């Protein structure tokens, strides 16, 4: 096999030095070698985005990169994004119910953080396009879009507000046909068809 | 031992948009997915899978794999033949059903691409995968059977030669005089609709870990049904049930695809026993698309009979349902779940249904979100639009003339079900208002008039569904092997905190939050003081798990019942502590007090401590404050609603884009509106995706051409619109929560709304149908075919 490459990385603030097989994917290095299992795997064709992490600050699908390619890099995963899950994007995801099973969530959050770095004040359509590489089978994306918008505002973007449902929204009880507020956010227009 | 109740008014938890308890761990990567588990010494399993849709196995030689580095063991199907048994089918829908053997690893014949023929067990996943190529399998190719009609033709090659037929069963149902209804009708329409095969594609791939522990085995699986799985594992392998513990840790979505007893689960258990080591298997996505069961796949021949004024006379449905190569857990039952739903929300004189289950050399079908009911709803809602077009009537008006009016509930329909409650008028009125129906119709007329190359189409779906699976008595009548009850335990700990054990195992539905809200209200304790446990047969041995929009309706009701029993028990102890008569003690907002004299009182959390200490218990009251309850509903629940969809169709390119989508659903009383809205959104995405994007495609040799996420078009954020959602609230009458279920509503309602909209846009061009998914190419072809029919190019 020849010489075994070494990788030297900083991951979520911890320094690692390891010998790895040249073909080892970064995601498998994280999960199988380091036990950093907060970042999951959803596909084998780099389509789903579940494995998204930041490499030197930019979002990367960690299944599409070899561990050796990360040599010398600083990597942030969902586990190290913010102490106690306190990043505005994480908080907005909880507030807007932007996750159900949560399997896409680590990748979705990391992709959204990178999206907001590039475009701190994205429109709904820009969010939808920006997150196109991250698939979610549970939410239908509406609440993910809301969450990213809400996080943008919390982080200082000036755009129009999209309000999450109020915490104590008590529904009128027992009245047949009682209506809650219709939840329509920004006008539709993201549907691009295929 | 007395406490003053909090003077502040308690805000009811039920109905409140509580943020989810689950989210903190899911948002920080502290989740327990099955693939995260690595017991010490764990071995990795990889499978050699058939490259052929159909073939006889001449020989399997695993010796080459055994010589590879890191490989610990390798087995063929024949090696395990004596112990592997046959995968179960729990729903033999007819007495004479053809039910073939289904060995977890094929022994004599392979019948779909991806079927396991051998396995390699190694020290890491790369070593296991590497060694697969060293297993030699010699096949004799046999003819693939891909198309259902061809499968039923005289002389067709057989999927199971020993059975002599590709027909698994014929299941008929008839109500009223269908011949008279059709013969006497002024208008009779016949249509054929195709429900394409879909891949459920939960984001978390399937995974299983099994470890020998103590005298028995613990099996962790990414499953929706740990309780059913445990029973079935015992029955299939002969390992005694009490020695098997099944755990569903965090599960990353299911949508029916994890309502299954799989080959890999059975084999993990057998390998752990053989090797006396923990073993682990996680599917790759391609492996998953090829081998995790698919959904839908029906050909529907539908006949509707009506009078010229639109009154429905009868409906006749003949289904071919593709079973795939084998009958898995509830494969044959899926189309039967739909059998009762074809008449939808409409009144008519007669209904006839027949379903033929057909074997093909493809991966089996089974439950996928909606399971039989989306197929039925699609057929009736599509043909209602066709009937409206035939009669020159607004499709909403046709529906109004036929639906059950709100004052007619409870109503027993021609499908034999008794709908307990509903208000179709109200939901429709609200949807029409939010959608701007009249304005859009006016715009549509303008664009038609102007010959706009981009046409506007409006689609309607007024649906109901049967949820809350299910009354055990009905399941028994339908030949299902188990019941439909659910179980809950509620235990108050000495410090007043509450543990709830639910038999309904979540995988994204937010049970921990919603159940906490129910318990907080029923016991008058803080929401934060409740913890919900699930998905472990050792923690909660009784349960029927999560599917069929049943969790809240059946499982939530079990929680309510268990809480009532806890309160009853606490009341006796409280009366004793208050030195009062039990009959005089009232329970409000978590505190017991003597009727008419608000003080002194005793809080239920203090009663829990007294019950634990047990220093002074009244006669007949046992220590500790806890209770169990099971609930078995008398009837199904019937969510309903009206969905309206506007699409723009580019007649030059065939491209469809959803311009607006309004969903007004009536799911009864709501525990958490945030969760309910999320369920609707996710359901809509899957239903719209069936209409526009998704299809499992096989070639003539039975190869799955859409075996990766690059080929199978799961919609991304850029492919879907925003949704406008609202609710009406007509409480269900069959459970104390008034809940109807919401997990499948969006999926069931939305597919026909979208396709109706596409066809509506193109009707002036002579297009009367577009087969799903309505991809640009199909739309474009439909336009050209119509133009050719009408004599001339467009
Ligand atoms: S695991 Fe799917 S993109 Fe990386
Ligand atoms: S929350 Fe389940 S896949 Fe996104």
């Amino acid at each position: 096999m020849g010489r075994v490459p070494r990788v030297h990385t900083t991951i979520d603030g911890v320094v690692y030095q390891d010998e790895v097989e040249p073909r080892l994917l970064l995601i498998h290095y994280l999960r199988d070698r380091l036990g950093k299992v907060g970042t999951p795997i959803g596909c084998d064709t780099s389509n789903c985005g579940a494995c998204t992490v930041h490499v030197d600050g930019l979002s990367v699908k960690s299944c599409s990169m070899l561990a050796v390619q990360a040599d010398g890099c600083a990597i942030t995963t969902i586990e190290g994004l913010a102490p106690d899950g306190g990043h505005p994007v994480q908080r907005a995801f909880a507030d807007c119910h932007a996750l159900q099973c949560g399997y896409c969530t680590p990748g979705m959050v990391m992709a959204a953080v990178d999206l907001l770095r590039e475009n701190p004040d994205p429109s709904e359509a820009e969010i939808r396009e920006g997150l196109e590489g991250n698939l979610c089978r549970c939410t239908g994306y509406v609440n993910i879009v809301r969450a990213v918008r809400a996080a943008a505002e919390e982080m200082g973007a000036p755009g129009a507000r999209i309000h999450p449902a109020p915490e104590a929204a008590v529904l009128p009880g027992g009245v047949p046909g009682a209506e809650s507020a219709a939840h329509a956010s920004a006008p539709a227009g993201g549907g691009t068809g295929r | 031992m007395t406490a003053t109740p909090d003077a502040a008014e308690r805000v009811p938890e039920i109905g409140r948009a509580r943020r989810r308890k689950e989210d903190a761990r899911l948002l920080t990567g502290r989740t327990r997915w099955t693939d995260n588990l690595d017991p010490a010494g764990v071995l990795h399993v990889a499978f050699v899978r058939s490259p052929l849709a159909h073939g006889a196995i001449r020989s399997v030689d695993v010796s080459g794999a055994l010589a590879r580095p890191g490989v610990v063991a390798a087995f063929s199907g024949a090696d395990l033949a004596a112990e592997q048994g046959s995968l179960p089918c729990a729903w033999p829908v007819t007495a004479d059903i053809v039910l073939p053997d289904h060995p977890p690893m094929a022994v004599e014949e392979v019948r779909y691409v991806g079927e396991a023929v051998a396995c390699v067990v190694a020290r890491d996943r790369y070593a296991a995968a590497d060694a697969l190529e060293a297993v030699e399998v010699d096949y004799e190719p046999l003819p693939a059977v891909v198309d259902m009609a061809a499968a039923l033709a005289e002389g067709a090659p057989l999927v199971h030669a020993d059975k002599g037929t590709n027909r698994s069963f014929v299941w008929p149902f008839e109500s009223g005089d269908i011949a008279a209804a059709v013969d006497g009708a002024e208008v009779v329409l016949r249509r054929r609709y195709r429900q394409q095969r879909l891949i459920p594609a939960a984001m978390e791939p399937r995974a299983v870990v099994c470890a020998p522990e103590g005298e028995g085995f613990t099996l962790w699986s990414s499953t929706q049904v740990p309780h059913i799985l445990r029973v079935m594992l015992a029955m299939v392998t002969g390992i005694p049930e009490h020695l098997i513990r099944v755990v569903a840790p965090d599960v990353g979505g299911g949508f029916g695809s994890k309502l299954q007893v799989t080959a890999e689960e059975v084999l993990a258990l057998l390998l752990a026993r053989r090797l006396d080591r923990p073993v682990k298997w996680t599917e790759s996505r391609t492996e998953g698309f090829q081998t995790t069961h698919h959904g839908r796949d029906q050909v529907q021949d539908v006949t509707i009979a009506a009078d010229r004024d639109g009154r429905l006379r009868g409906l006749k449905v003949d289904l071919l349902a593709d079973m795939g190569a084998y009958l898995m857990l509830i494969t044959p039952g899926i189309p039967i779940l739909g059998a009762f739903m074809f008449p939808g929300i409409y009144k008519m004189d007669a209904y006839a249904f027949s379903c033929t289950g057909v074997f093909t050399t493809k991966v089996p079908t089974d439950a996928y979100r909606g399971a039989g009911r989306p197929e039925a709803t699609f057929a009736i809602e599509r043909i209602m639009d066709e009937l409206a077009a035939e009669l020159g009537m607004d499709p909403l008006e046709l529906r109004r003339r036929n639906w059950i009016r709100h004052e007619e509930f409870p109503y027993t329909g021609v499908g034999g079900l008794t709908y307990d409650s509903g208000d179709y008028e109200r939901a429709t009125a609200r949807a029409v208002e939010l959608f701007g129906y009249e304005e859009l119709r006016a715009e549509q007329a303008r664009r038609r008039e102007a010959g706009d190359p981009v046409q506007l189409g409006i689609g309607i779906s007024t649906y109901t569904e049967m949820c809350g699976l299910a009354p055990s008595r009905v399941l028994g009548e339908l030949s299902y092997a188990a019941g439909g009850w659910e179980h809950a335990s509620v235990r108050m700990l000495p410090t007043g905190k509450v543990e709830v054990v639910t038999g309904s195992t979540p995988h994204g539905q937010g049970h921990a939050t919603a159940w906490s809200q129910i318990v907080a209200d029923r016991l008058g304790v803080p929401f934060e003081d409740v913890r919900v446990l699930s998905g472990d047969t050792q923690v909660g041995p009784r349960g029927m798990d999560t599917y069929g929009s049943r969790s809240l309706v059946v499982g939530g009701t079990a929680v309510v019942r268990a809480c009532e029993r806890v309160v009853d028990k606490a009341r006796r102890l409280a009366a004793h502590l208050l030195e009062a008569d039990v009959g005089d003690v009232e329970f409000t907002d978590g505190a017991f007090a003597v009727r008419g004299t608000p003080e002194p009182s005793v809080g239920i959390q203090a009663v829990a401590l007294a019950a634990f200490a047990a220093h002074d218990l009244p006669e007949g009251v046992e220590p500790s404050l806890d209770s169990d309850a099971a609930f078995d509903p008398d009837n199904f629940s019937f969510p309903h609603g009206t969905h309206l969809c506007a699409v723009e169709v580019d007649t030059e390119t065939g491209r469809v884009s959803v311009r607006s989508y309004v969903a007004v659903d009536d799911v009864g009383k709501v525990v958490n509106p945030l969760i309910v809205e999320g369920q609707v959104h996710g359901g809509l995405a899957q239903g719209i995706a069936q209409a526009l994007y998704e299809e499992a495609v096989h070639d003539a040799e039975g190869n799955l051409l859409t075996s990766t996420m690059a080929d199978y078009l799961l919609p991304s954020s850029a492919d879907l619109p925003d949704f406008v959602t609202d609710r009406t609230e007509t409480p269900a009458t069959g459970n104390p929560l008034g809940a109807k279920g919401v997990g499948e509503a969006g999926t069931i309602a939305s597919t026909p709304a979208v396709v109706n909209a596409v066809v509506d846009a193109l009707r002036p061009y002579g297009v009367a149908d577009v087969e799903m998914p309505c991809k640009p190419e199909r739309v474009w072809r439909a336009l050209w075919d119509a133009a050719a029919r009408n004599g001339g190019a467009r």
Side-chain angles (χ1 to χ4, degrees):
Chain A
M1 232 341 204
R3 94 204 147 78
V4 181
R6 291 183 73 80
V7 280
H8 184 158
T9 53
T10 306
I11 303 174
D12 293 337
V14 178
V15 174
Y16 296 88
Q17 275 199 64
D18 276 301
E19 292 185 344
V20 298
E21 268 192 79
R23 63 172 175 166
L24 185 69
L25 297 174
L26 177 57
I27 184 64
H28 286 147
Y29 177 61
L30 291 171
R31 290 181 56 84
D32 297 348
R33 291 285 294 274
L34 306 184
K36 292 198 69 80
V37 292
T39 305
I41 301 172
C43 73
D44 45 16
T45 47
S46 297
N47 286 100
C48 76
C51 62
T52 306
V53 300
H54 292 175
V55 177
D56 290 337
L58 302 181
S59 75
V60 167
K61 292 178 176 177
S62 63
C63 72
S64 64
M65 187 173 182
L66 297 169
V68 290
Q69 293 174 299
D71 187 37
C73 295
I75 295 169
T76 307
T77 78
I78 190 74
E79 298 169 48
L81 180 63
D84 301 327
H87 192 282
V89 171
Q90 287 167 308
R91 286 206 305 273
F93 266 59
D95 255 3
C96 298
H97 186 36
L99 63 154
Q100 291 180 28
C101 80
Y103 200 78
C104 71
T105 307
M108 197 67 83
V109 167
M110 298 310 280
V113 169
D114 195 37
L115 175 104
L116 291 175
R117 181 192 56 76
E118 247 182 56
N119 179 358
D121 188 16
S123 67
E124 182 194 330
E126 286 168 339
I127 296 169
R128 285 184 177 276
E129 268 155 45
L131 295 179
E132 200 177 9
N134 289 72
L135 298 176
C136 173
R137 193 58 159 164
C138 296
T139 64
Y141 303 104
V142 173
N143 287 346
I144 290 176
V145 174
R146 284 180 192 159
V148 176
R149 213 26 250 172
E153 275 147 34
E154 202 193 317
M155 291 162 78
R161 295 197 77 81
I162 300 172
H163 294 281
E167 163 78 36
V170 179
L171 294 175
V175 188
E179 287 141 8
S180 66
H183 288 156
S185 61
T192 59
R194 280 205 267 222
Chain B
M1 197 43 63
T2 60
T4 313
D6 198 335
E9 190 70 12
R10 244 189 126 259
V11 181
E13 285 290 343
I14 291 182
R16 204 170 161 184
R18 273 286 190 187
R19 278 19 176 191
R20 297 198 320 167
K21 289 186 168 181
E22 294 84 345
D23 290 353
R25 74 174 186 282
L26 297 172
L27 276 163
T28 52
R30 285 197 286 270
T31 319
R32 287 182 80 232
W33 310 118
T34 299
D35 187 59
N36 293 0
L37 304 173
D38 260 324
V42 71
L43 300 173
H44 295 258
V45 183
F47 290 96
V48 177
R49 297 185 177 279
S50 170
L52 300 176
H54 199 187
I57 299 173
R58 286 209 196 98
S59 66
V60 182
D61 180 2
V62 299
S63 57
L66 286 170
R68 292 294 184 100
V71 172
V72 173
F75 303 100
S76 67
D79 293 336
L80 298 181
E83 58 194 283
Q84 69 174 348
S86 180
L87 294 174
C89 172
W91 203 339
V93 292
T94 59
D96 60 353
I97 189 169
V98 173
L99 181 47
D101 252 13
H102 187 187
M105 281 202 294
V107 179
E108 289 168 0
E109 221 170 287
V110 287
R111 296 186 176 87
Y112 64 90
V113 172
E115 189 169 0
V117 294
C119 63
V120 171
V121 188
R123 276 168 41 203
D124 71 63
R125 68 172 97 216
Y126 280 57
D130 284 347
L132 292 181
E133 62 173 20
V135 175
E136 298 206 1
V137 188
D138 188 17
Y139 301 97
E140 176 191 332
L142 294 170
V145 182
V146 179
D147 178 71
M148 283 194 279
L152 294 177
E154 197 64 38
L158 295 174
V159 180
H160 298 275
D162 58 321
K163 300 297 183 190
T165 176
N166 287 325
R167 187 180 282 103
S168 174
F169 63 88
V170 177
W171 192 96
F173 175 85
E174 202 164 326
S175 162
D177 187 341
I178 189 68
V182 172
D183 292 347
E186 291 164 354
V187 181
V188 177
L189 291 187
R190 294 190 170 80
R191 292 288 183 271
R192 170 170 290 186
Y193 297 123
R194 190 171 149 64
Q195 290 286 326
Q196 78 270 37
R197 196 174 253 256
L198 298 178
I199 301 181
M203 286 307 299
E204 183 204 14
R206 287 185 298 138
V208 57
V209 173
C210 186
E213 287 186 339
E215 309 77 61
F217 300 90
T218 300
L219 182 133
W220 295 264
S221 181
S222 172
T223 179
Q224 292 172 230
V225 291
H227 297 92
I228 293 173
L229 179 58
R230 182 195 195 198
V231 177
M232 291 297 170
L233 285 173
M235 287 182 168
V236 171
T237 64
I239 296 173
E241 187 181 350
H242 60 291
L243 300 184
I244 302 172
R245 171 187 180 191
V246 176
V247 184
D250 285 318
V251 175
F255 316 111
S257 71
K258 295 172 183 173
L259 163 49
Q260 194 53 273
V261 176
T262 64
E264 294 84 358
E265 288 164 326
V266 170
L267 292 166
L269 179 56
L270 296 177
L271 292 171
R273 179 171 69 175
R274 268 225 182 194
L275 303 171
D276 198 22
R277 291 272 295 275
V279 298
K280 172 172 177 173
W281 170 78
T282 301
E283 73 183 2
S284 73
R285 180 58 64 179
T286 300
E287 207 176 14
F289 276 11
Q290 286 182 336
T291 66
T292 303
H293 72 244
H294 291 174
R296 314 282 190 263
D297 210 345
Q298 297 180 354
V299 175
Q300 311 173 311
D301 282 315
V302 188
T303 304
I304 197 163
D307 290 338
R308 278 264 151 222
D309 64 2
R311 192 178 80 83
L312 295 184
R313 303 292 296 265
L315 180 72
K316 192 168 177 304
V317 176
D318 280 301
L319 285 191
L320 293 184
D322 192 336
M323 303 286 100
Y326 301 96
L327 304 183
M328 295 196 71
L329 193 61
I330 54 172
T331 301
I334 300 302
I336 309 311
L337 272 176
F340 307 97
M341 296 309 320
F342 280 89
I345 64 169
Y346 309 113
K347 296 177 281 189
M348 60 186 79
D349 305 332
Y351 169 55
F353 171 90
S354 173
C355 173
T356 303
V358 184
F359 291 115
T360 59
T361 53
K362 287 178 274 182
V363 69
T365 55
D366 207 312
Y368 172 52
R369 201 169 194 169
R373 292 155 292 158
E375 295 92 315
T377 303
F378 182 87
I380 183 68
E381 290 304 299
R382 272 292 293 123
I383 206 164
M384 284 299 276
D385 260 36
E386 294 307 305
L387 180 61
E390 174 72 24
L391 298 172
M393 197 180 282
D394 182 285
L396 264 183
E397 178 56 26
L398 177 66
R399 286 167 168 85
R400 275 191 197 106
R401 288 187 187 187
N402 286 289
W403 69 37
I404 302 156
R405 293 192 309 273
H406 71 273
E407 68 272 17
E408 293 176 305
F409 289 94
Y411 183 91
T412 301
V414 73
L417 297 169
T418 300
Y419 299 166
D420 65 322
S421 70
D423 191 338
Y424 309 144
E425 298 94 321
R426 201 173 179 102
T428 303
R430 181 65 180 144
V432 162
E433 178 191 333
L434 286 169
F435 189 64
Y437 187 79
E438 298 306 331
E439 295 84 335
L440 283 166
R441 282 281 183 220
E443 182 186 334
Q444 178 181 51
R446 280 198 305 278
R447 288 166 75 164
R448 283 181 177 175
E449 183 76 17
D452 192 331
V454 180
Q455 287 288 321
L456 181 66
I458 295 169
I460 299 163
S461 169
T462 49
Y463 77 99
T464 188
E465 50 163 336
M466 52 194 263
C467 282
L469 304 185
S472 299
R473 175 184 50 81
V474 177
L475 290 177
E477 286 164 5
L478 292 174
S479 312
Y480 180 60
W485 49 266
E486 195 46 88
H487 183 269
S489 303
V490 171
R491 44 188 191 240
M492 295 203 67
L493 305 178
T495 55
K497 308 294 184 202
V498 186
E499 278 178 343
V500 181
V501 182
T502 177
S504 166
T505 304
H507 37 282
Q509 295 88 346
H511 290 22
T513 305
W515 279 213
S516 293
Q517 290 178 266
I518 294 170
V519 171
D521 272 3
R522 292 290 167 156
L523 297 184
V525 299
F527 172 76
E528 295 76 13
D529 284 1
V530 185
R531 183 166 186 216
V532 178
L533 306 170
S534 61
D536 182 341
T537 61
Q538 189 157 296
V539 173
R542 276 163 291 181
M544 281 293 180
D545 306 314
T546 294
Y547 43 84
S549 305
R550 70 189 303 272
S551 291
L552 183 61
V553 175
V554 191
T557 301
V559 171
V560 169
R561 293 275 159 85
C563 286
E564 285 167 358
R565 289 182 183 171
V566 165
V567 170
D568 281 347
K569 188 171 174 186
R571 189 192 308 274
R572 291 164 67 193
L573 181 49
H576 182 69
L577 296 171
L578 293 167
E579 296 174 352
D581 232 40
V582 178
D584 292 336
V585 172
E586 284 182 323
F587 181 62
T588 337
D589 288 349
F592 295 95
V594 180
R595 197 183 312 276
T597 54
E599 300 208 36
S601 71
V602 56
I604 193 166
Q605 293 181 301
V607 175
L609 184 60
F612 167 74
H615 296 159
D616 181 19
L617 297 179
E619 205 39 47
V621 172
E622 290 178 359
S624 85
L625 195 48
D626 48 29
S627 192
D628 282 10
F631 177 65
D632 196 340
D634 288 333
N635 190 4
F636 298 94
S637 59
F638 299 94
H640 71 81
T642 297
H643 289 211
L644 297 172
C645 176
V647 298
E648 294 195 328
V649 184
D650 187 328
T651 58
E652 284 163 3
T653 63
R655 189 169 151 255
V656 175
S657 62
V658 177
R659 175 162 129 183
S660 62
Y661 196 102
V662 170
V664 176
D665 296 292
D666 193 324
V667 298
K669 301 282 276 180
V670 162
V671 172
N672 186 323
L674 209 56
I675 291 176
V676 164
E677 196 195 19
Q679 287 290 317
V680 172
H681 287 167
L684 291 177
Q686 285 176 345
I688 293 171
Q690 176 174 9
L692 296 181
Y693 305 126
E694 295 182 23
E695 180 174 27
V697 183
H698 291 80
D699 67 12
E701 277 75 55
N703 296 301
L704 178 65
L705 301 179
T706 50
S707 63
T708 73
M709 282 182 174
D711 309 301
Y712 186 85
L713 295 184
L714 297 168
S716 77
S717 49
D719 299 318
L720 292 168
D722 195 14
F723 309 126
V724 177
T725 59
D726 200 3
R727 285 184 286 106
T728 57
E729 204 170 286
T730 317
T733 62
N735 66 77
L737 292 164
K740 299 180 183 174
V742 67
E744 295 158 301
T747 308
I748 288 170
S750 57
T751 311
V754 176
V755 178
N756 279 341
V758 172
V759 175
D760 184 57
L762 303 178
R763 215 179 280 285
Y765 298 78
V767 172
D769 196 24
V770 179
E771 204 175 90
M772 294 189 291
C774 302
K775 297 185 291 193
E777 188 209 331
R778 287 224 175 114
V779 172
W780 187 85
R781 273 186 200 288
L783 277 162
W784 277 91
D785 289 350
R789 268 200 311 277
N790 301 339
R794 298 168 53 223

